Amino acid sequence: MINVSLNNEAAEIPDQTLLSEALAQWDYGEQKLAVAINGEFVPRSRYGEVALREGDRLDIVKPVGGG
Amino acid sequence: MHPDPLTLYGETFDSRFLLGTALYTSPTIMRDALRASRCDIVTLGLRRQNPGDRSGDAFWQYIKDSGCKLLPNTAGCKSVKEAVTLAEMSREMFDTPWVKLEVVGDDYNLQPDPFGLVEAADELTKKGFKVLPYCTDDLIVGQRLVDVGCEVLMPWGSPIGTGQGLLNRYNLRTLRERLPNIPMIIDAGLGAPSQAAEAMEMGFDGILLNTAVAKAHQPPLMAEAFADAIDAGRKAYHAGLMERRQTASPSTPTIGQPFWHQS
């Protein structure tokens, strides 16, 4: 298992888990979201290629009200 | 009046009112306010979502149902890097290259960081974004933003959420006069419809606000009031305001004044 940060909270996940697999495990399902890892935007087309690594910081965002 | 659409980045809009979607007491009230505002463009944001949290589903459904064009923001970003990354996330999520670019320079008054703003606008424009920068009323900053490719400017009236109206009319008039062909939307700080009307009378092209509507006792009614004021201000701008004078000048003819006798 590796330790990652999911929206600034600690999470554990098997080493080399793909981002697409992690999103499914974390129950994000088909929700409207966007992802950045370590402050870098990850396009949806790459979810099936990017493997998570120890210490990765993930930001997963959704639409909210804004001004 | 003849049709008077707002044109931004080659797209035309009937309404000159852009409304924010935050701070409402419920998604239903937000929906009703959007309808009452007659707006064609809404702003919205992106925030962290924890697994299994579906609390924003109703909000998002109402936004989609509104049919409005989406203008995602980079609110809260304090660096160029943060703003650019969030803009990239919003472009994918909302399938739009439009972004309301915010780079915050100070926590106290949420004043835009002009240097970071220009740098981020430059980078995003090169990446194909249509950048609508939330900026101060400084002319040179406005010029620099135009230089790097911004086709719209969104100067503040006063700091976000203050309701202070147009704090620096001299700067705003200068900006308007020196960049006459750049669409300008007064963004932030307006608290009353009369302030929006004044901005429109000065020749600004549109109004973007959120708090003044969302925090009203009756947000839909306030949204309608702002929409009416914006329309009125625009008509007054086209009609041309009279010049101010120091001394009184009678409007009723003086010739033929009864009871007057030469002494």
Side-chain angles (χ1 to χ4, degrees):
Chain A
M1 302 292 277
I2 57 170
N3 297 298
V4 298
S5 164
L6 172 58
N7 288 340
N8 206 34
E9 291 188 8
E12 276 195 337
I13 198 146
D15 197 11
Q16 291 300 308
T17 301
L18 295 174
L19 176 56
S20 55
E21 297 166 344
L23 292 172
Q25 284 188 35
W26 287 328
D27 197 26
Y28 278 107
E30 297 299 311
Q31 295 183 64
K32 196 167 187 64
L33 51 79
V35 179
I37 298 179
N38 302 324
E40 300 287 342
F41 168 59
V42 181
R44 196 175 295 128
S45 59
R46 296 194 57 225
Y47 289 180
E49 304 167 10
V50 174
L52 299 185
R53 292 185 291 193
E54 175 72 27
D56 274 348
R57 291 175 288 110
L58 289 92
D59 282 289
I60 300 176
V61 298
K62 67 170 181 176
V64 297
Chain B
M1 202 171 86
H2 59 84
D4 182 28
L6 172 66
T7 302
L8 305 172
Y9 281 105
E11 291 188 42
T12 57
F13 304 92
D14 291 335
S15 171
R16 292 174 176 273
F17 188 10
L18 295 76
L19 188 56
T21 55
L23 303 174
Y24 297 90
T25 50
S26 76
T28 315
I29 288 176
M30 178 201 72
R31 178 199 63 191
D32 294 347
L34 292 182
R35 283 181 184 158
S37 75
R38 312 192 287 274
C39 71
D40 292 324
I41 302 173
V42 294
T43 54
L44 67 173
L46 290 177
R47 285 295 178 263
R48 285 170 167 166
Q49 177 182 30
N50 288 322
D53 175 10
R54 302 297 175 106
S55 60
D57 288 0
F59 163 80
W60 176 237
Q61 190 60 47
Y62 286 145
I63 294 287
K64 281 193 294 185
D65 292 346
S66 75
C68 289
K69 184 173 184 66
L70 306 180
L71 180 57
N73 67 31
T74 62
C77 290
K78 294 181 178 177
S79 69
V80 173
K81 175 67 181 166
E82 288 176 6
V84 169
T85 300
L86 200 57
E88 289 178 311
M89 295 168 93
S90 73
R91 175 162 66 176
E92 179 184 77
M93 180 176 291
F94 302 118
D95 195 24
T96 176
W98 286 43
V99 62
K100 171 182 165 177
L101 180 61
E102 294 184 49
V103 181
V104 178
D106 184 82
D107 285 333
Y108 178 72
N109 62 357
L110 299 177
Q111 181 164 339
D113 170 356
F115 309 100
L117 190 66
V118 173
E119 188 180 335
D122 188 22
E123 191 171 335
L124 288 170
T125 301
K126 286 173 178 161
K127 288 174 181 274
F129 283 86
K130 312 284 189 195
V131 178
L132 293 88
Y134 168 58
C135 54
T136 57
D137 47 35
D138 186 277
L139 171 63
I140 309 307
V141 173
Q143 287 177 334
R144 294 292 176 268
L145 288 165
V146 171
D147 289 345
V148 298
C150 294
E151 295 182 17
V152 182
L153 295 179
M154 302 209 296
W156 66 356
S158 50
I160 296 169
T162 61
Q164 300 262 354
L166 307 178
L167 279 186
N168 195 331
R169 291 174 179 77
Y170 175 82
N171 270 15
L172 289 170
R173 282 188 202 286
T174 303
L175 198 56
R176 180 68 289 176
E177 287 173 13
R178 295 290 294 144
L179 298 170
N181 299 319
I182 299 295
M184 286 186 205
I185 293 163
I186 295 293
D187 179 3
L190 301 188
S194 54
Q195 298 164 349
E198 183 188 3
M200 297 303 291
E201 289 166 3
M202 289 167 67
F204 287 95
D205 298 279
I207 301 292
L208 197 170
L209 56 84
N210 191 152
T211 311
V213 167
K215 291 298 184 186
H217 295 304
Q218 297 182 57
L221 189 57
M222 187 59 84
E224 187 178 347
F226 268 102
D228 291 348
I230 290 164
D231 285 347
R234 182 67 180 175
K235 286 176 185 170
Y237 168 70
H238 278 306
L241 299 179
M242 64 166 278
E243 297 243 345
R244 286 190 184 214
R245 287 187 294 225
Q246 180 62 28
T247 53
S249 176
S251 46
T252 305
T254 50
I255 298 201
Q257 173 75 40
F259 320 124
W260 179 83
H261 300 280
Q262 192 161 24
S263 54

